[in-house]
Amino acid sequence: MSLTSNRCCRGGGMVKGHERSTGKISLVPKNVVIMGDNPDFDNKAIKEEKNGLDLRKTNPSKSVDMEEQIECTSISNENQDNRPSTTTRLYKRRWVMVFLFSCYSLCNAFQWIQYGIINNIFMKFYNVDSFTIDWMSMVYMLTYIPFIWPVSWLLDKKGLRLIALMATAINCLGTWIKVASVRSNLFWVTMLGQFASSLSQVFILGMPSRLASVWFGSEEVSTACSIGVFGNQLGIAIGFLVPPILVPNVDNIDELAYHISIMFYITAGVATVIFILVVFWFQEKPEIPPTLAQVQARSIPPEEYSYVASILRLLRNLPFMLLVISYGLNVGCFYAVSTLLNRMIIEHYPGEEVNAGRIGLTIVIAGMVGSLICGIWLDKTKTYKQTTLAVYLLSFVGMVVYAFTLNLGHLWVVFVTSGALGFFMTGYLPLGFEFAVELTFPECEGTSSGLLNCSAQIFGIIFTIGQGKIIEHFGTFAGNIFLCVFLLIGTIMTAFIKSDLRRQKANHLAETQAASVSISVSAIWCQR
């Protein structure tokens, strides 16, 4: 470790200069040499400290300066030469931040599936074909791919609050556009509203890991990320459950328009309330960072950060790129199953639109439980690679079981197998986010999450179109086996990911160095 600068002053802290290339922060008091760093312990430094004891006897005022030099390692230094502070703190308001994020993520995710789960009803109302309604879900995936790059740049440069405001404002706009589209000849208007909602999603999907890192402690980040993903999953669950209840399959177009308008008005009202709450309550970041890793991240001058260089570093990170592809395969399969669920259920169980929604609800609720359990498990064990691989393998097994039991003619069997599939497939989402942050630290969490989600959207479009065409020509069993093949490929790829937990190493290094400072200071006092 090289020492670029080392200074201690009255009332200030002392921080070893920050090295951008290694991402390390070290805390060392002046005239103290840590024996672990220098086997030839500097006896001269100890003699100087002993001389200080003699000064105490002859000049008490000078001894006070020495005491402050020894004790200042625990005092913040943010106002001295712009050096980073090593103080960390957790704020109770962090739970308000993740709650607000979960709320607007929920509202947006609900709209993603609200058309697809009653596919046949919207086909009748707008007089369009099934593939056109499928695009009401796929537009979320398509919009994400080109817009994630500027949005990730904004997240890096402007922070969480601006991204949250833009997400909720655009989402609110989209819901009110849909309110104006409840006429059979205004499909283009409802498509415009859905496009606005899909654009809002770009500002949402990359946020959970960034929000968790900025606001939560090192023992909470995985749980907090899971809660953030939980909101999105809950929105999808409500999107499966509520539309079939609010919009029954009736033949009268005017009555159908009334039911659709009720659903759109409720969505717009909720989106408006959430937007107002975010405007007044959502904050950028805590005054004092929650972890030593965040202390390090804040110490990097903005002018030293290059978004393009960050992307290039991520693209050269082989373990991360393997995760990007395997994550895309898993989540892409989930998107395809969710989008085409109504078609698959109706084919084997005609007239069961409401139960199709309940099966979708079962998938997501089970996934929410899986997400929370996986998040808590990661915080306790830090076994990112092992947990990710186990959940991926079980997602593949769940998909195989679902494929072979869908056409048995027993809805309760479909509920059970769907729940098992959702527990692992949807539970994988926060695992991918957190594993990516570990593999790419100290790169911005929004950038790594953006690449993961971009992969998921690309594979989601491919799998949705591909499975839809296979279902049309060969049936649902062939379509589901198509997805099983790619889940198996993703499982094999996950097994080859090297577990390089950089964020954990940074936290452990900072904690070790801080502990070394404490031991060294204690040794000096003992010498006195």
Side-chain angles (χ1 to χ4, degrees):
M1 294 182 292
S2 62
L3 184 65
T4 57
S5 64
N6 196 4
R7 179 170 177 257
C8 181
C9 54
R10 188 184 301 255
M14 184 182 328
V15 179
K16 183 183 286 188
H18 176 250
E19 292 185 5
R20 179 67 182 90
S21 61
T22 61
K24 298 179 181 178
I25 293 178
S26 179
L27 307 174
V28 183
K30 186 177 181 179
N31 294 330
V32 176
V33 180
I34 299 173
M35 294 190 68
D37 289 346
N38 185 0
D40 303 322
F41 188 78
D42 192 348
N43 292 318
K44 181 180 178 182
I46 295 298
K47 290 179 181 178
E48 290 179 8
E49 298 298 338
K50 289 181 177 179
N51 291 338
L53 293 177
D54 296 333
L55 285 174
R56 179 183 305 215
K57 298 176 182 178
T58 58
N59 192 343
S61 63
K62 290 187 177 181
S63 68
V64 174
D65 292 339
M66 178 165 294
E67 289 180 6
E68 288 182 353
Q69 282 192 335
I70 296 298
E71 294 172 355
C72 67
T73 56
S74 63
I75 301 174
S76 175
N77 188 38
E78 287 183 298
N79 296 324
Q80 300 292 336
D81 298 334
N82 293 322
R83 301 186 191 283
S85 165
T86 57
T87 304
T88 61
R89 178 180 173 185
L90 293 176
Y91 293 84
K92 291 182 178 178
R93 74 176 77 112
R94 68 190 187 279
W95 299 109
V96 177
M97 299 303 108
V98 76
F99 173 75
L100 286 175
F101 170 76
S102 296
C103 286
Y104 70 75
S105 179
L106 179 155
C107 182
N108 183 263
F110 167 83
Q111 297 172 73
W112 168 58
I113 204 66
Q114 70 179 156
Y115 292 91
I117 196 58
I118 48 176
N119 184 296
N120 55 323
I121 296 176
F122 275 109
M123 285 171 56
K124 176 169 54 179
F125 182 75
Y126 286 113
N127 194 28
V128 294
D129 60 22
S130 177
F131 187 65
T132 302
I133 299 299
D134 289 344
W135 270 107
M136 299 299 283
S137 296
M138 288 192 290
V139 69
Y140 265 63
M141 309 172 203
L142 184 63
T143 303
Y144 190 89
I145 298 169
F147 285 101
I148 183 53
W149 312 111
V151 171
S152 293
W153 179 85
L154 271 178
L155 180 60
D156 290 349
K157 293 295 184 181
K158 302 300 181 181
L160 293 172
R161 177 170 168 81
L162 177 65
I163 297 299
L165 288 173
M166 295 186 69
T168 50
I170 297 172
N171 186 61
C172 185
L173 175 64
T175 59
W176 285 107
I177 291 175
K178 292 178 188 177
V179 167
S181 71
V182 189
R183 287 174 55 184
S184 295
N185 62 336
L186 293 181
F187 177 77
W188 68 272
V189 178
T190 206
M191 188 65 182
L192 178 63
Q194 188 72 342
F195 170 75
S197 298
S198 70
L199 183 59
S200 171
Q201 178 218 213
V202 183
F203 294 84
I204 294 172
L205 288 187
M207 285 271 284
S209 56
R210 176 65 177 271
L211 184 68
S213 294
V214 169
W215 279 95
F216 287 82
S218 58
E219 300 301 317
E220 302 173 327
V221 286
S222 297
T223 302
C225 184
S226 297
I227 294 172
V229 175
F230 181 94
N232 190 271
Q233 294 171 346
L234 183 58
I236 297 172
I238 297 173
F240 278 124
L241 178 66
V242 172
I245 296 173
L246 292 181
V247 187
N249 189 5
V250 296
D251 293 328
N252 188 299
I253 297 299
D254 291 334
E255 183 181 354
L256 196 55
Y258 169 77
H259 291 299
I260 292 173
S261 67
I262 292 296
M263 180 174 68
F264 286 166
Y265 269 113
I266 292 173
T267 308
V270 171
T272 303
V273 171
I274 292 174
F275 172 62
I276 294 171
L277 290 175
V278 168
V279 168
F280 288 102
W281 288 95
F282 197 90
Q283 294 182 338
E284 171 63 33
K285 61 184 177 182
E287 291 82 0
I288 299 173
T291 63
L292 293 172
Q294 275 297 300
V295 172
Q296 174 184 338
R298 290 193 188 186
S299 68
I300 301 173
E303 60 272 13
E304 290 187 11
Y305 177 79
S306 168
Y307 178 66
V308 175
S310 177
I311 292 289
L312 293 176
R313 284 192 297 270
L314 291 176
L315 294 176
R316 290 192 296 265
N317 186 332
L318 181 59
F320 174 66
M321 292 311 299
L322 286 174
L323 180 63
V324 166
I325 298 173
S326 62
Y327 181 91
L329 292 173
N330 189 302
V331 181
C333 289
F334 169 70
Y335 288 162
V337 170
S338 300
T339 302
L340 302 173
L341 184 63
N342 174 270
R343 291 171 60 182
M344 289 190 283
I345 298 300
I346 295 301
E347 179 175 327
H348 295 287
Y349 307 93
E352 295 287 355
E353 290 90 357
V354 173
N355 272 323
R358 291 171 180 167
I359 291 170
L361 174 69
T362 302
I363 291 174
V364 180
I365 292 295
M368 290 160 58
V369 176
S371 294
L372 288 178
I373 292 176
C374 290
I376 295 171
W377 174 260
L378 284 184
D379 280 333
K380 297 294 183 183
T381 66
K382 309 302 181 185
T383 54
Y384 291 86
K385 164 71 177 291
Q386 298 91 324
T387 305
T388 302
L389 178 59
V391 171
Y392 210 122
L393 177 61
L394 291 170
S395 297
F396 164 69
V397 173
M399 190 69 210
V400 171
V401 174
Y402 172 80
F404 278 91
T405 58
L406 180 61
N407 60 353
L408 293 182
H410 302 290
L411 267 176
W412 68 269
V413 174
V414 180
F415 273 96
V416 173
T417 57
S418 298
L421 175 64
F423 182 88
F424 297 110
M425 183 176 282
T426 315
Y428 172 80
L429 297 177
L431 291 178
F433 281 139
E434 283 302 293
F435 197 16
V437 174
E438 292 292 339
L439 293 174
T440 61
F441 185 85
E443 305 297 345
C444 176
E445 297 88 349
T447 307
S448 60
S449 298
L451 286 172
L452 288 181
N453 285 315
C454 187
S455 173
Q457 312 309 315
I458 293 172
F459 283 113
I461 293 174
I462 294 171
F463 290 163
T464 301
I465 295 175
Q467 188 186 22
K469 296 299 182 182
I470 292 173
I471 289 174
E472 287 180 8
H473 294 91
F474 303 103
T476 57
F477 178 76
N480 288 323
I481 293 298
F482 166 77
L483 297 183
C484 290
V485 171
F486 288 99
L487 284 174
L488 178 60
I489 294 172
T491 302
I492 296 171
M493 294 183 68
T494 302
F496 284 98
I497 297 175
K498 181 182 178 182
S499 184
D500 182 17
L501 307 182
R502 299 181 180 182
R503 182 173 61 179
Q504 295 301 315
K505 290 177 182 177
N507 275 322
H508 292 160
L509 177 63
E511 290 168 1
T512 301
Q513 291 173 342
S516 298
V517 169
S518 178
I519 293 171
S520 300
V521 172
S522 299
I524 290 174
W525 279 102
C526 289
Q527 290 290 334
R528 295 181 178 183

